[in-house]
Structure formats: structure tokens, C-alpha cells
């Protein structure tokens, strides 16, 4: 994600230069602070039983959690460079807190809590230190020594409270990730349980969300109800700003099923790694006049690009970003022009037509932000190409209109059942250009393990206006024979993707990954990789094994039909598609008069009106269009598109 910052003081200054599009920068600049709290105990330091499988996980739960934090730290440096991360180990023999050495006075306030990485924007040194820890077994064993005394969870939560208060006081998203296999740390101590509940309430009052990553042991399944249900509050699934639903317990892998604890933790972490933020909030959705509900819009898919590069000045004590300043000058006198002296202008017929700020604002004002349904159409009539920009996921909100969720659900289910779409007039915000959008219902998608991949909702898909459609190029239709089509169908069936669908999570952008891999290697002083990892490269051996024989057979059939056509036609001109018997399916161009019902190439008014009604005026030839316009005493100059517009305008005004 690009490092985009939004300064509210610049809002008025930029209002005049504002594009007529939904500005997403304000929604991408939300900062997030994540603190890992990882337990260190004998059970968390116990490795799975040894097996002969190469895929089985061999890491202890604590080490797997540290590797998970390391992977997330690398990911955050790339995707969200302004976010903070920290790692707190609890249950350790050594104690350490902010700014202190091991077992110093600062650590005595929080015994058996070791602040491995303070909550801050990850620097290269932090990543290197964490990498050494997870890769150096000797250093890991030296640090990860469990204490003989149990640690109070109230103390751990209070320690986390102090870290968030001092390091991320103004962050809008603050989260505490607890990784443990102990489902009842204070089974016989009611006072400690009550103290932990109070400290958890303090964190929630501070705005910190606690997420639990439970780990089940082979001989014991993690039971949240024993302790953690009292300190971790459940969120309503109808709240779109709530984090993703809490995952189930992660089981240490003891068999060769290839599902390691690390992979399980990473999967759970990734589902909670990005705080969800609405592109627009509480926008009225007007179903019919007088019936409105409130909805929020989310961008679920966004093209990821490298963070913007910048110029730096290296002659100081440390590198400083060089910021650019733009000065506008008059073309004739080279005099500096102040902003108050300028107006926005548009070129029209060789002249510059200027507007004041008020006139520019009025020019772009099409009413208050709204999604107004103007009708319904069958889903089948929406072509696949009719999508101009990325779609927006829409979900109900109860803030402005009580009962919005119930009405939204009824509309979504009805559209799904009848395979219909809504057509809506959509203004995302003030001064935004109105958009015609298709409202497409989306069904809930559930993963193999029962987790929700996609919630039920509706999608706003911008569709083109008449001005957005360009003239199709004139092409010659080539029709393949039925035999070739049937043989190609077999090839396509052999090369189906798993579950016959594209899963983007399996295909990282190779150019983006290579860019950050080089950047990471240089920042961490690692060896530069020689080749990028590209998972989009086809697996040629598997393709040849599954479909190679069918492709060769198809190629031979194509060659035979082509040669048979050459022998029979004796022509070396433009190739026509071969038929079943090898003869070309020669396509003769119908005359203009035949197409319109005449014999001399001229169209009468009735025939041209029929072409206008069926939207096929553009398919007529240029001479026919000119002849008809000339008969009507209309101009015949210009390109074909101009003639078509002239004819269509004639019938529209008639």
C-alpha cells in the first residue's frame, strides 16, 4: 500500500483541484498498532512428537508464534509502513520493560514479562534482531526460559495497557494478540480472575481490541469458556467495523498432513491483520421514494503498488526527505502568480473559459450523496465487459435508519433468488460525479473448514454511460468447425483450475514481491536473491502430462482441415474458416440495400427507422449513410461516427 497521508488542513486548499472521483486516500491512512503477547511455558516450549514426514511442523508453539510475528513484521513493513508492532513475552524467567535492561528496576514492576520488541514502527534493526532469535537455536534457548512462578494475567494486561498508552495513544486501531495454550491460568484463584477481567475492561475502554489465538495440545482441547470468555468480548457479526470473527483453536500437527502450526497461525493472523475501514459510511440507499436504509461501502480488492519513492538529502546526520515546492509563473512575464490570482479554466473552441471557485463547485454539484435505485433488470443482460472501475462491497448500517439490516437482507435475498440486479444512481460524496452502477447480490462463501470467506452482501459495479463506449473495430468473423471446437473443449476441461475457480491468494504479484525482496535484502544486509519467485509461471510438465496429447491431436486436425481447404479453393488470399468437410465457409458481404430491404443500396425511412430501433445504424456502410442523409438534405461530411450520430439525432428529435 502506498504511504499516503491525509492532512485535514489541506482539505480546503485541495478542494479546488479535487478530481471528480472517490478519493480513497483518507481511508487508506488509518494507522494500526499490534502487540503480540506470547506465553512462555513448558507446554508452549514442547515440540510435537518426532515423525518421518518432511511436511510436519517441528517448531514449538512459542517459536512458531515468534516466526509468525516475524513474518507479519516483514509484511507490515511492505504493506503498511506507518503501522506499529511489538512483541511481549510473558511467563519468562527474565523480566524487561520499556527502556530498561534485563531484570532492571523497570522490569520489576511487571515480573515475568519480557518486552522483546517495543511497540513502534518496525526498523531494519528490529527485523534483524527478531530474525536472529528465530534462527539461532542457542539464543532462543537462552531467552525462552519459563519462570517457576505463574504470571498473573492481570499483570500482563496492565503491562499491555501501559505500552499502548505510552507508544500509540492516538492510533484509531490498537489490538492485542494473545497466543497461549493455557485455557485456565487462574483456576483456583477467584481474585486473580476478577483482576484480569478488570484489566481487560480497561483495555477495551482504551479502545484496544483483544484477540485470542488459542493452541490445543494433543492431550487437551482448548476451552475458551473456562477463562477467556470473561476477558474477550464477542462482537456482533452485523458490525462491519468489528474485527474478523475469532478463530478456533490451532492444533499442533502430529501427523504428516502438512498443516503446520505456523501456517495455521499465519492464516489466523492474516485474517485479522488489516483493520476494515469503510470507503463511505452511512450513505442512504433509496429503494423507492420514501423508503431509505443506511449502508457502508468497503473496497475489498485494491491493486497493490510499491510505495512511492522519494528523494533524500544525505549530507546531514541522517537521511532527510527532500520535499518539493511548486511555484506557478505567468507565461509572458515570468512573474510568480499567487493562488488567489488564479482561476480554473477549460478550453472551448480555442478560448479559455474561466470559473470562480463557487462556479466550479456548483458545476460539480449533482445533489447529496445517495444510492438511488432506478429499476431492476435480469442479471443475464449485464455483459462481462460493462465494468469501468473496481466494485464496492455494500453492507447495511443501523446508525441512521433502524431496521436497515432487515430490509437490506430481504432485498439481497430477493435479488439472489430471482437472479436480478438493481440499476442505481450513485453519488459517493459531495462534488463527486454521479455514476450509474449495477447492484449485484453476493452470496455468502464458506471455506473448507467452515470459516467465512466472503460475507453476504451486495456489490456496486460502475457501468458505462453512452459517452464511455468507443466504436468497435471492424473485424472479419472466423468460425471454427464443430470438430475443432469439440476437441478444444477437451483441452480446456483438462486444464481446469482447482474447483474451477481462480484463487488470488495463491498467486502473489511477482513484480511487486521481487521489488520488496530486493528492498528487504538491502535493508537487512542480506545476500541479494538471483531470481524472483514467480508462481504465475505455468507448470509445463503437468500441462503436457494432462493435455499434451489432446493439444497435438487438435493441431493435426487443424492442419488437415486447412490443407483440405487450400486444395479445394486453390486460393492463397485471405484465409476463411474450414468447414467439417474441409471446404471454406465463405462469407459474402451483404449489400447495403439487401440489409435494409432495398435493391439499389438506398434505404427508405421505414428501413432506417428499423435500424435505429434495433441500434444497428453503425453497421451500415458509409455510402448508404451518406446517401440517406443527402436525401434528407442533411450534412454528409465527417467520420462514420458523426454520420451515425446525425441519423440517430434525426429520429430522436422527430
Amino acid at each position: 500500500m502506498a504511504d499516503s497521508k491525509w492532512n485535514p488542513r489541506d482539505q480546503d486548499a485541495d478542494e479546488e483541484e479535487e478530481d471528480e472521483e472517490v478519493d480513497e486516500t483518507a481511508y487508506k491512512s488509518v494507522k494500526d498498532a499490534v502487540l503480540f503477547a506470547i506465553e512462555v511455558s513448558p507446554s508452549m516450549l514442547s515440540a510435537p512428537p518426532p515423525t518421518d514426514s518432511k511436511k510436519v511442523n517441528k517448531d514449538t508453539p512459542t517459536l512458531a508464534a515468534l516466526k509468525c510475528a516475524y513474518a507479519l513484521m516483514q509484511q507490515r513493513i511492505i504493506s503498511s509502513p506507518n503501522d506499529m508492532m511489538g512483541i511481549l513475552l510473558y511467563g519468562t524467567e527474565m523480566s524487561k520493560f520499556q527502556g530498561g535492561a534485563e531484570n532492571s528496576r523497570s522490569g520489576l514492576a511487571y515480573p515475568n514479562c519480557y518486552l522483546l520488541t517495543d511497540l513502534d514502527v518496525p526498523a531494519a534493526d528490529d527485523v534483524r534482531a527478531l530474525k536472529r532469535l528465530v534462527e539461532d537455536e542457542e539464543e532462543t534457548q537462552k531467552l525462552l526460559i519459563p519462570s517457576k512462578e505463574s504470571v498473573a494475567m492481570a499483570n500482563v494486561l496492565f503491562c499491555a495497557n501501559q505500552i499502548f498508552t505510552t507508544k500509540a495513544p492516538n492510533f484509531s486501531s490498537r489490538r492485542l494478540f494473545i497466543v497461549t495454550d493455557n485455557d485456565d491460568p487462574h483456576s483456583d484463584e477467584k481474585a486473580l480472575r476478577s483482576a484480569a477481567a478488570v484489566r481487560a475492561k480497561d483495555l477495551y475502554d482504551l479502545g484496544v481490541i483483544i484477540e485470542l489465538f488459542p493452541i490445543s495440545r494433543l492431550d487437551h482441547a482448548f476451552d475458551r469458556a473456562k477463562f477467556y470468555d470473561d476477558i474477550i468480548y464477542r462482537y456482533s457479526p452485523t458490525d462491519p467495523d468489528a474485527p474478523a470473527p475469532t478463530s478456533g483453536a490451532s492444533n499442533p500437527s502430529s501427523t504428516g498432513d502438512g498443516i503446520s502450526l505456523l501456517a495455521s497461525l499465519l492464516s489466523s493472523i492474516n485474517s485479522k491483520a488489516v483493520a476494515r475501514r469503510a470507503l463511505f459510511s452511512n450513505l442512504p440507499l433509496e429503494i423507492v421514494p420514501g423508503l431509505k436504509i443506511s449502508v457502508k461501502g468497503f473496497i475489498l480488492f485494491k491493486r497493490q503498488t510499491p510505495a512511492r519513492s522519494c528523494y533524500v538529502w544525505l549530507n546531514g546526520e541522517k537521511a532527510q526527505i527532500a520535499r518539493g515546492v511548486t511555484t506557478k509563473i505567468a507565461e509572458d512575464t515570468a512573474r510568480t502568480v499567487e493562488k488567489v490570482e488564479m482561476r480554473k479554466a477549460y478550453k472551448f473552441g480555442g478560448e479559455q473559459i474561466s470559473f470562480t471557485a463557487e462556479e466550479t463547485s456548483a458545476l460539480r454539484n449533482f445533489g447529496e450523496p445517495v444510492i438511488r435505485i432506478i429499476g431492476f433488470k435480469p442479471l443475464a443482460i449485464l455483459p462481462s465487459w460493462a465494468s469501468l472501475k473496481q466494485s464496492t462491497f455494500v453492507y447495511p448500517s443501523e446508525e441512521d435508519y433502524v431496521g436497515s439490516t432487515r430490509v437490506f437482507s430481504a432485498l439481497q435475498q430477493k435479488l439472489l433468488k430471482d437472479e436480478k440486479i438493481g440499476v442505481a444512481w450513485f453519488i459517493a460524496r459531495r462534488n463527486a460525479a454521479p455514476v450509474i452502477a449495477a447492484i449485484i447480490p453476493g452470496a455468502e462463501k464458506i471455506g473448507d473448514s467452515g470459516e467465512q470467506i466472503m460475507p453476504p452482501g451486495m456489490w456496486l459495479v460502475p457501468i458505462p454511460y453512452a459517452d464511455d463506449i468507443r466504436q468497435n473495430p471492424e473485424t472479419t468473423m472466423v468460425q471454427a468447425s464443430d470438430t475443432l471446437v469439440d476437441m478444444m473443449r477437451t483441452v480446456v476441461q483438462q486444464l481446469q483450475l482447482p474447483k474451477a475457480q481462480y484463487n488470488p491468494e495463491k498467486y502473489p504479484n511477482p513484480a511487486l514481491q521481487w521489488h520488496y525482496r530486493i528492498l528487504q535484502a538491502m535493508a537487512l544486509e542480506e545476500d541479494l536473491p538471483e531470481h524472483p519467485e514467480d508462481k504465475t509461471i505455468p507448470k509445463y510438465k503437468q500441462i503436457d502430462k494432462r493435455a499434451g496429447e489432446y493439444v497435438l491431436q487438435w493441431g493435426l486436425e487443424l492442419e488437415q482441415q486447412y490443407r483440405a481447404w487450400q486444395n479445394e479453393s486453390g486460393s492463397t488470399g485471405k484465409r476463411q474458416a474450414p468447414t467439417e468437410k474441409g471446404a471454406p465457409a465463405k462469407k459474402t458481404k451483404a449489400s447495403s440495400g439487401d440489409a435494409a430491404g432495398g435493391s439499389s443500396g438506398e434505404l427508405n425511412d421505414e428501413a432506417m427507422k428499423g435500424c435505429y430501433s434495433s441500434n444497428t445504424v453503425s453497421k451500415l456502410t458509409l455510402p448508404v449513410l451518406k446517401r440517406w442523409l443527402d436525401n434528407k438534405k442533411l450534412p454528409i461530411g465527417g467520420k462514420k461516427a458523426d454520420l451515425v450520430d446525425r441519423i440517430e439525432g434525426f429520429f430522436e428529435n422527430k
Side-chain angles (χ1 to χ4, degrees):
M1 181 180 295
D3 182 10
S4 56
K5 297 182 179 179
W6 177 70
N7 188 350
R9 286 177 291 186
D10 295 337
Q11 183 176 6
D12 295 335
D14 293 338
E15 183 71 23
E16 193 172 302
E17 302 296 331
E18 189 176 336
D19 291 335
E20 295 183 354
E21 294 183 358
V22 176
D23 183 11
E24 300 160 13
T25 56
Y27 306 98
K28 295 190 291 186
S29 59
V30 176
K31 294 182 180 180
D32 188 26
V34 174
L35 177 65
F36 278 84
I38 304 172
E39 184 181 15
V40 178
S41 65
S43 59
M44 287 286 286
L45 295 174
S46 300
T51 63
D52 297 332
S53 174
K54 296 182 180 180
K55 295 182 178 181
V56 72
N57 169 59
K58 298 180 181 179
D59 294 327
T60 66
T62 298
L63 184 58
L66 287 172
K67 287 185 176 180
C68 177
Y70 171 64
L72 183 62
M73 184 177 290
Q74 289 180 302
Q75 173 192 337
R76 282 305 183 82
I77 289 179
I78 294 173
S79 62
S80 306
N82 292 324
D83 288 355
M84 288 186 176
M85 263 197 64
I87 302 175
L88 174 67
L89 304 176
Y90 69 94
T92 55
E93 187 177 51
M94 294 183 291
S95 302
K96 178 185 174 184
F97 195 58
Q98 294 171 328
E102 295 176 357
N103 297 321
S104 63
R105 293 182 61 87
S106 63
L108 296 178
Y110 306 100
N112 309 122
C113 292
Y114 191 95
L115 188 57
L116 180 65
T117 303
D118 202 357
L119 186 65
D120 206 343
V121 175
D125 292 338
D126 299 325
V127 181
R128 281 195 292 265
L130 187 54
K131 181 182 179 182
R132 286 194 300 269
L133 178 63
V134 298
E135 293 181 353
D136 190 341
E137 185 176 350
E138 183 178 348
E139 186 174 351
T140 303
Q141 292 178 353
K142 181 181 177 181
L143 176 63
L144 302 181
I145 301 176
S147 65
K148 297 178 182 179
E149 301 176 356
S150 61
V151 60
M153 286 303 300
N155 206 31
V156 175
L157 297 176
F158 185 58
C159 179
N161 190 316
Q162 293 301 304
I163 294 172
F164 281 116
T165 302
T166 57
K167 303 296 290 188
N170 299 320
F171 275 44
S172 56
S173 174
R174 292 176 287 184
R175 290 174 292 165
L176 175 64
F177 290 171
I178 300 177
V179 184
T180 179
D181 65 346
N182 186 0
D183 57 6
D184 195 5
H186 306 306
S187 56
D188 300 327
E189 299 172 282
K190 187 175 181 180
L192 291 179
R193 293 173 65 95
S194 300
V198 171
R199 294 302 184 189
K201 182 66 167 57
D202 292 342
L203 279 172
Y204 280 103
D205 291 341
L206 189 64
V208 177
I209 296 173
I210 302 176
E211 286 283 0
L212 177 67
F213 294 88
I215 298 174
S216 293
R217 299 191 296 270
L218 296 176
D219 57 345
H220 178 73
F222 196 99
D223 186 1
R224 300 169 55 96
K226 289 183 177 180
F227 175 77
Y228 283 97
D229 278 351
D230 294 334
I231 68 170
I232 296 180
Y233 300 163
R234 300 278 185 168
Y235 277 74
S236 169
T238 60
D239 180 7
D241 284 334
T246 306
S247 61
S250 300
N251 297 295
S253 176
S254 60
T255 60
D257 57 3
I259 304 177
S260 66
L261 175 62
L262 176 61
S264 177
L265 280 175
L266 277 175
S267 175
S268 299
I269 290 287
N270 286 335
S271 67
K272 302 176 178 63
V274 181
R276 293 179 288 187
R277 288 293 176 264
L279 175 64
F280 53 79
S281 298
N282 305 323
L283 195 68
L285 170 59
E286 183 177 305
I287 301 175
V288 294
L291 176 58
K292 294 181 180 179
I293 62 175
S294 182
V295 296
K296 290 186 177 183
F298 301 86
I299 292 181
L300 300 189
F301 303 98
K302 178 69 177 176
R303 177 176 173 80
Q304 186 83 348
T305 56
R308 291 180 298 176
S309 59
C310 58
Y311 293 99
V312 293
W313 182 63
L314 301 176
N315 293 335
E317 295 181 359
K318 63 178 182 178
Q320 300 181 36
I321 297 178
R323 303 191 180 277
V325 178
T326 302
T327 302
K328 299 184 183 295
I329 61 174
E331 185 178 4
D332 52 351
T333 63
R335 181 181 68 87
T336 301
V337 180
E338 301 297 332
K339 188 171 183 179
V340 293
E341 301 179 85
M342 294 184 293
R343 278 190 177 190
K344 178 172 286 188
Y346 296 92
K347 191 173 182 179
F348 183 81
E351 296 184 18
Q352 298 290 348
I353 311 300
S354 63
F355 294 84
T356 64
E358 294 76 13
E359 290 171 338
T360 302
S361 178
L363 186 67
R364 292 204 296 251
N365 185 12
F366 284 88
E368 293 296 315
V370 69
I371 304 174
R372 182 178 296 115
I373 295 179
I374 57 179
F376 298 94
K377 292 287 185 180
L379 178 61
I381 72 166
L382 184 67
S384 58
W385 49 261
S387 178
L388 291 177
K389 300 178 183 178
Q390 62 190 18
S391 55
T392 304
F393 183 75
V394 180
Y395 206 73
S397 169
E398 295 283 331
E399 294 187 24
D400 288 347
Y401 299 96
V402 178
S404 294
T405 303
R406 186 183 298 271
V407 177
F408 183 92
S409 176
L411 177 62
Q412 182 254 357
Q413 293 181 45
K414 180 61 177 176
L415 292 178
L416 267 180
K417 180 180 179 181
D418 293 352
E419 296 184 351
K420 301 275 188 180
I421 62 171
V423 181
W425 168 271
F426 172 40
I427 301 178
R429 61 170 187 169
R430 290 184 179 88
N431 295 333
V435 174
I436 297 295
I439 302 180
I440 303 177
E444 182 181 27
K445 292 185 179 180
I446 304 296
D448 296 335
S449 57
E451 76 280 9
Q452 187 185 70
I453 298 176
M454 186 67 67
M458 291 191 286
W459 296 85
L460 274 177
V461 181
I463 55 180
Y465 288 106
D467 314 72
D468 304 323
I469 301 176
R470 298 294 178 261
Q471 188 70 29
N472 293 332
E474 295 185 2
T475 58
T476 303
M477 180 65 180
V478 177
Q479 184 70 39
S481 66
D482 292 342
T483 302
L484 288 174
V485 172
D486 291 339
M487 294 179 69
M488 181 55 69
R489 182 180 293 109
T490 304
V491 174
V492 173
Q493 289 173 347
Q494 294 299 317
L495 299 180
Q496 288 278 354
L497 290 171
K499 298 183 180 179
Q501 63 181 6
Y502 168 70
N503 182 6
E505 294 181 355
K506 294 185 177 180
Y507 304 101
N509 184 337
L512 191 68
Q513 297 299 319
W514 178 243
H515 170 84
Y516 282 113
R517 183 69 186 91
I518 295 294
L519 200 63
Q520 174 183 317
M522 295 182 68
L524 302 182
E525 301 176 356
E526 300 174 343
D527 295 334
L528 293 177
E530 297 181 358
H531 303 288
E533 182 183 3
D534 188 355
K535 294 187 178 181
T536 64
I537 296 177
K539 299 179 180 179
Y540 296 108
K541 291 185 178 180
Q542 294 186 14
I543 292 174
D544 181 62
K545 183 178 180 181
R546 297 176 61 178
E549 182 179 350
Y550 300 107
V551 172
L552 291 175
Q553 292 176 1
W554 183 86
L556 292 174
E557 179 66 23
L558 176 64
E559 184 69 20
Q560 290 177 4
Q561 292 194 17
Y562 177 64
R563 292 192 180 279
W565 166 75
Q566 277 188 324
N567 294 334
E568 292 186 12
S569 63
S571 172
T572 59
K574 187 180 290 186
R575 176 181 173 186
Q576 298 290 336
T579 62
E580 292 291 333
K581 297 181 180 180
K586 189 173 182 181
K587 181 179 179 181
T588 58
K589 187 173 182 179
S591 66
S592 306
D594 294 340
S599 58
S600 62
E602 296 185 3
L603 283 80
N604 53 36
D605 292 350
E606 185 178 354
M608 183 60 79
K609 186 176 181 180
C611 293
Y612 166 75
S613 301
S614 59
N615 199 24
T616 57
V617 176
S618 59
K619 295 184 179 180
L620 300 174
T621 60
L622 196 61
V624 173
L625 299 176
K626 288 185 176 181
R627 195 173 295 116
W628 191 90
L629 287 170
D630 188 50
N631 291 338
K632 295 296 179 184
K633 308 300 182 184
L634 296 173
I636 60 173
K639 298 181 180 180
K640 183 178 179 180
D642 299 328
L643 305 185
V644 172
D645 291 341
R646 216 165 285 152
I647 294 174
E648 291 179 346
F650 174 82
F651 287 105
E652 288 175 359
N653 299 326
K654 191 174 180 181

